Amino acid sequence: MDDDGTRGVRGPSADRTPEPAVPPPPAHPPRVPHPATGTHPAERHPAERHPGDRNQAGQNPGDRHPGTPTERWRAGSASAPPLENRPAGPAPAAPPVERPAPGAPVDAWLRTPRPQQEPGVWRYGYTPPPPEESERVSDRSLLVGALISLLSALLLWSLWRNGYLPYRLVPLKLFTPGGWWNPGTSGGPRTIEGSDALTVYEAILFGLLAYGCGRIGNFSELFRRHVAERGQPFLALAAAAAAGLTQLLVWKETLPVVRPVLVLVASVAGGEIYQSQTVVNVIYGLIAAAVLWPFARLGRWRELIAARRGSGVPAPDADAAPATTTSADQWPELRAAGWTDAADTLTAEVRTGRMNDVDVARLRHAWRLATRRPDRLGPLAESVLRTGGAAALHPSGHRDLPRRTARHDVLTGQVRIGRCADDPHNPYIRRGTGLALDPALLGTSLLAVGPPGAGKSARLIRPVVEALALRALAGQAAVLAVGGAGEPLGPDDAFDVVVRVGHPGSAHDIDLYGGTTDPDEAAAVLAEGLVGDVGSLDSRRAATVLAQLLGPYHAAHGYFPSVPELRELLDGTPAAFAGLRACLEAAGHHAMLRELDARSRQAGGPGDPAPALADRVALLDRPTFAGFFATGPDARPFELRALGQHPLRVRVDLPERGHAEASRLLTRLLLAQFTAITAARTDTSLFVCLVLDDATHAVTAETVRGIRRLRSVNAGAVLALRTVDDVPEALHTPLLGAVGCTAAFSGITTWDGKRFAEAWGKEWVETREVAQHTVFADQPFTRALHALRKLVTGKAVTTDAVTVRQVERERWSASELAYAVPAGHAVIRLANVEGEHAPPLLVHLDG
């Protein structure tokens, strides 16, 4: 692993053949790793090991495939017939896979709902929050109000029962015969019918009194907050205790329930019905059941009993909603096209655990591509029947990453990076919801700013690289991750190509000219990389100087000059010019001779950018980089153009510790090449993303313009900075306007916070201003009461004057961004390529 699978030493004289970027498809389907954790490289089948593991696998140097990395990629995927086009035959024996229990993780994962939401919402198992409460009453006020309401109801009922309320029987006498009552407004019942009517009347009044007491005292909120929110089994036990107490009060006739019911039954069915003891027992049972029924509903006894009976079934994930009964795991798109056998095969693969989430996403994408060309449907269906979930494999043969550090939903391309905090700055609907990134957001590019140690690499950059690598395995994206040597961008096994600049064991180089054969195009990109950060130099003049040298050299030799040769030409070495002139004269390239003569006349003049270019090229002409950036027929550099053609996973390690300036130059060059190459590609079906773990001094005016164009060509860039001042001051506003997604990590300065606050704009908010005015009493008694109140409370009697206004304020102020963002948090603003956007959200980053 230390030598990236190579033997010997890099350099022009090293007798070696570079390794292929990816191996041919394996002879046997790889073992399916767990969707969340993957499998260690040493535990995988030898046929599925990554090129970086070839030394351990015992591959000989002579077995390496020759050619450029792009040619080797094509050879790796075309040296053997694709799985879809291979001749029919017996399917290779798959490694034994333990059959899981019904309801395999991938099965439930595939059937979990993913509703459409605002940009950045983690859609997997999303459930909307409950409606926002207008104003929450304090627990103390709630308890005091309930107690006062209860005591008032008891007092009123006591006064009623003891006859202290006048005219209490007048409403009843208005609707009953007068012969039932004694004379006078307070006269009681005279007959048995009057006594029965009074019993029912008191029961009705008691019910109304209990209902009014419950509503006024807000007993429902008290029950929800202090009983229901505590969950089971406390809820069931509390309801059972209340039910037992109520039953006791009912049968003790403290609560008027039994006698009114008996009276009503006798009035309807006649008093003779009570001569049967069985009927009486049935009536008593119905009364007891009617009293218990509301408490059973409140305590959710039925749900508790059902949960106890099914306690052996594992509980679902707390963050995920229960899987629905949709037919997503039945592969309806295949069945609709008539390929029922292939759909049945994939359904069995999912339910037996032989497929992971990447397999599902890859095969769905392969089917969508095949439907555009009907001639591919048959071979793909045949491959599914023979190899199951291993059909349409990524050319590397991998079906998952060796290790994941974040939660991914490969079906939607989302990676969860955190949870929105419960903060007043966040809208209520977003508080507590997961925050995720996907290609639709990364297509607008992302700028992350935060000091060292804020968590940019571990909690944002690496999860994004992982998500893009998983999407590349599904055939839907390509990723180029650039960082310093040792940065946590992922293990070697997670990439198809690993370029270690300055490391003698690196199998690949960086092409300084971006793989183009056009001298003008190569000169423009190289000029941006060399002197794009020098404000006193015009990059167009620098590109002209380089074109005057690259054009003649390419015409004479068929390739562009190496670093030492380019340095000599920029320095104006007579021997280098003479040799190049002789080659051009011998080949008869008169137009290129005029270019070379023009460069000779301009050399040494005022404002000549050649010396500055030579000084920058000298940063790469060091012994550490000997053998790198080679050109000519024997060179095997990695061509950046391959990213737009194949789902590649590429990582570039830069020597930041010993050669910081050279690393910044290469970062700037890769960014310029990426924006130029992606803007020029014609097939934009593959999402391409560049991730720069440190973009210090890498952004130029031309690359900012290139970043603006990325969203229209299905590409994006992720840039991480320690501070916005790492970008020239003139580019602060253009850069923040060019990217659609921005993230301010904890610990940024107020100067950086000011720039983010201006970029995020303002919003209308409602403010309440309270002014307290002292009350001056005129009457002696009132003054005495105020004096007594001041003596007890220690405060003067005041009145509050409240003013409510609508004002426009910044969403996040510079001071809040600098001092109010807790450690491990970031304020993130998101926008997608369709124009939808989310406000800046305070997010707790969980990696």
Side-chain angles (χ1 to χ4, degrees):
M1 295 293 291
D2 292 337
D3 58 358
D4 197 25
T6 61
R7 308 180 192 273
V9 182
R10 287 189 49 88
S13 60
D15 185 11
R16 63 171 183 83
T17 304
E19 294 180 348
V22 288
H28 300 279
R31 293 179 183 174
V32 181
H34 191 277
T37 60
T39 307
H40 192 276
E43 300 174 357
R44 295 200 298 269
H45 191 275
E48 66 170 311
R49 288 179 179 166
H50 189 269
D53 297 331
R54 282 191 289 270
N55 285 346
Q56 290 84 343
Q59 182 179 356
N60 297 324
D63 297 335
R64 300 167 184 162
H65 196 286
T68 63
T70 304
E71 293 169 351
R72 292 195 297 271
W73 173 272
R74 294 170 179 167
S77 58
S79 58
L83 291 176
E84 294 87 78
N85 300 325
R86 290 179 185 174
V97 179
E98 182 180 357
R99 185 184 182 89
V106 177
D107 187 15
W109 168 83
L110 188 58
R111 292 185 289 112
T112 301
R114 296 166 174 83
Q116 291 290 339
Q117 292 297 322
E118 296 178 359
V121 176
W122 175 250
R123 294 169 50 192
Y124 178 74
Y126 172 79
T127 54
E132 183 179 7
E133 299 176 355
S134 57
E135 186 175 355
R136 183 181 177 94
V137 182
S138 65
D139 292 343
R140 180 177 178 179
S141 300
L142 193 64
L143 291 173
V144 171
L147 181 60
I148 293 175
S149 175
L150 180 61
L151 293 177
S152 301
L154 291 176
L155 176 61
L156 187 61
W157 182 247
S158 177
L159 294 175
W160 168 270
R161 294 295 299 269
N162 291 284
Y164 290 105
L165 296 180
Y167 310 108
R168 63 189 186 97
L169 298 180
V170 172
L172 180 60
K173 292 180 179 181
L174 292 176
F175 296 96
T176 54
W180 291 4
W181 309 98
N182 292 319
T185 57
S186 60
R190 177 188 298 178
T191 63
I192 296 177
E193 291 81 0
S195 298
D196 293 344
L198 180 59
T199 300
V200 176
Y201 179 59
E202 288 181 346
I204 295 174
L205 289 180
F206 179 82
L208 294 176
L209 181 63
Y211 177 77
C213 174
R215 291 297 301 270
I216 295 174
N218 205 2
F219 278 86
S220 60
E221 176 65 17
L222 184 66
F223 175 80
R224 183 189 65 82
R225 188 180 301 183
H226 296 282
V227 180
E229 287 186 353
R230 301 183 65 174
Q232 300 287 10
F234 180 82
L235 176 61
L237 293 176
L245 178 62
T246 305
Q247 289 281 7
L248 178 63
L249 296 177
V250 166
W251 297 111
K252 287 290 186 179
E253 295 191 0
T254 304
L255 301 179
V257 176
V258 178
R259 288 187 61 190
V261 171
L262 295 177
V263 168
L264 290 175
V265 172
S267 64
V268 174
E272 295 81 3
I273 193 174
Y274 294 120
Q275 295 179 0
S276 173
Q277 187 63 35
T278 302
V279 173
V280 174
N281 294 336
V282 170
I283 293 175
Y284 284 165
L286 292 176
I287 293 174
V291 173
L292 284 177
W293 181 77
F295 294 98
R297 291 288 303 273
L298 291 175
R300 302 175 184 173
W301 294 352
R302 183 177 180 181
E303 298 178 9
L304 180 61
I305 294 173
R308 293 297 182 184
R309 289 179 177 177
S311 58
V313 180
D317 186 3
D319 289 341
T324 62
T325 57
T326 58
S327 58
D329 60 330
Q330 299 290 331
W331 300 86
E333 59 271 17
L334 273 70
R335 299 183 187 277
W339 300 99
T340 307
D341 294 341
D344 292 339
T345 300
L346 293 180
T347 301
E349 292 274 304
V350 168
R351 294 185 174 179
T352 56
R354 291 180 178 270
M355 289 179 64
N356 60 11
D357 53 352
V358 179
D359 294 331
V360 174
R362 186 187 68 250
L363 288 174
R364 284 194 167 192
H365 179 67
W367 185 262
R368 285 194 296 268
L369 294 180
T371 53
R372 301 174 185 175
R373 298 183 60 179
D375 57 313
R376 294 185 178 181
L377 291 176
L380 178 59
E382 180 186 351
S383 176
V384 169
L385 292 175
R386 289 189 291 107
T387 60
L393 271 180
H394 186 264
S396 67
H398 294 176
R399 297 170 68 177
D400 201 353
L401 298 180
R403 180 171 175 265
R404 301 188 189 183
T405 61
R407 293 184 59 186
H408 299 270
D409 186 18
V410 188
L411 204 60
T412 59
Q414 287 189 318
V415 53
R416 180 186 171 115
I417 63 173
R419 182 186 295 273
C420 296
D422 188 5
D423 187 86
H425 286 92
N426 293 343
Y428 173 79
I429 195 68
R430 299 300 298 268
R431 297 175 191 173
T433 62
L435 190 81
L437 298 175
D438 56 54
L441 297 173
L442 298 178
T444 63
S445 298
L446 185 147
L447 175 66
V449 179
K456 300 189 302 297
S457 298
R459 299 181 179 182
L460 179 64
I461 299 299
R462 177 159 183 177
V464 168
V465 173
E466 282 184 4
L468 294 171
L470 289 172
R471 204 160 181 82
L473 291 178
Q476 304 175 46
V479 56
L480 172 62
V482 182
E487 294 295 332
L489 296 180
D492 293 351
D493 291 346
F495 297 91
D496 303 309
V497 176
V498 178
V499 182
R500 293 188 177 94
V501 180
H503 193 285
S506 179
H508 305 286
D509 291 343
I510 292 180
D511 189 353
L512 296 180
Y513 306 101
T516 182
T517 57
D518 185 358
D520 293 328
E521 181 180 351
V525 175
L526 185 58
E528 280 296 319
L530 293 178
V531 296
D533 61 329
V534 181
S536 58
L537 287 180
D538 186 358
S539 59
R540 291 174 294 182
R541 292 194 59 189
T544 302
V545 172
L546 289 172
Q548 291 173 342
L549 297 175
L550 298 182
Y553 192 96
H554 189 275
H557 300 281
Y559 53 86
F560 293 119
S562 62
V563 169
E565 294 169 331
L566 179 59
R567 181 183 180 184
E568 291 181 354
L569 291 173
L570 289 171
D571 284 332
T573 306
F577 269 80
L580 180 57
R581 187 183 303 276
C583 292
L584 293 174
E585 291 176 350
H589 295 291
H590 301 290
M592 293 302 173
L593 280 173
R594 289 196 300 270
E595 285 283 293
L596 191 61
D597 292 337
R599 173 84 289 270
S600 300
R601 290 192 303 269
Q602 296 171 4
D608 183 17
L613 291 170
D615 291 340
R616 290 301 180 90
V617 173
L619 296 173
L620 304 179
D621 190 16
R622 305 297 301 163
T624 304
F625 305 127
F628 277 88
F629 318 120
T631 58
D634 297 331
R636 294 294 183 266
F638 169 71
E639 297 177 2
L640 201 61
R641 293 181 181 273
L643 283 174
Q645 304 169 1
H646 308 286
L648 278 170
R649 302 167 294 164
V650 184
R651 193 188 77 204
V652 178
D653 295 342
L654 301 175
E656 290 184 346
R657 296 182 180 178
H659 303 273
E661 193 62 30
S663 298
R664 294 172 182 174
L665 188 153
L666 293 174
T667 303
R668 191 163 53 250
L669 178 62
L670 290 173
L671 178 58
Q673 290 183 356
F674 179 83
T675 55
I677 291 174
T678 53
R681 63 178 183 150
T682 56
D683 184 7
T684 60
S685 60
L686 194 69
F687 178 73
V688 185
C689 188
L690 169 67
V691 181
L692 297 182
D693 188 58
D694 184 6
T696 303
H697 301 297
V699 179
T700 64
E702 184 61 33
T703 53
V704 168
R705 287 189 286 268
I707 290 174
R708 288 197 186 101
R709 296 191 295 264
L710 291 180
R711 67 179 66 189
S712 62
V713 292
N714 196 21
V718 179
L719 311 177
L721 295 171
R722 295 182 177 90
T723 174
V724 182
D725 289 330
D726 289 338
V727 177
E729 185 175 0
L731 298 179
H732 290 174
T733 301
L735 177 60
L736 289 172
V739 297
C741 304
T742 49
F745 283 71
S746 61
I748 65 172
T749 63
T750 53
W751 293 273
D752 289 342
K754 180 181 178 181
R755 298 182 182 97
F756 280 109
E758 292 175 351
W760 292 338
K762 299 180 180 181
E763 62 179 347
W764 288 98
V765 296
E766 183 180 276
T767 62
R768 296 169 59 91
E769 297 179 357
V770 180
Q772 292 184 341
H773 304 282
T774 304
V775 177
F776 298 96
D778 297 331
Q779 302 298 326
F781 181 71
T782 308
R783 286 200 298 269
L785 289 179
H786 287 185
L788 178 61
R789 180 176 176 179
K790 184 176 182 180
L791 180 63
V792 174
T793 62
K795 298 180 180 179
V797 180
T798 60
T799 59
D800 294 341
V802 181
T803 304
V804 180
R805 298 188 300 175
Q806 292 283 339
V807 297
E808 192 177 21
R809 287 184 178 176
E810 294 175 331
R811 300 178 185 271
W812 282 84
S813 67
S815 297
E816 288 175 329
L817 289 173
Y819 303 110
V821 179
H825 291 66
V827 181
I828 302 177
R829 187 256 186 188
L830 300 175
N832 60 18
V833 293
E834 297 178 354
E836 298 178 309
H837 60 84
L841 302 172
L842 178 62
V843 181
H844 176 252
L845 302 170
D846 53 18

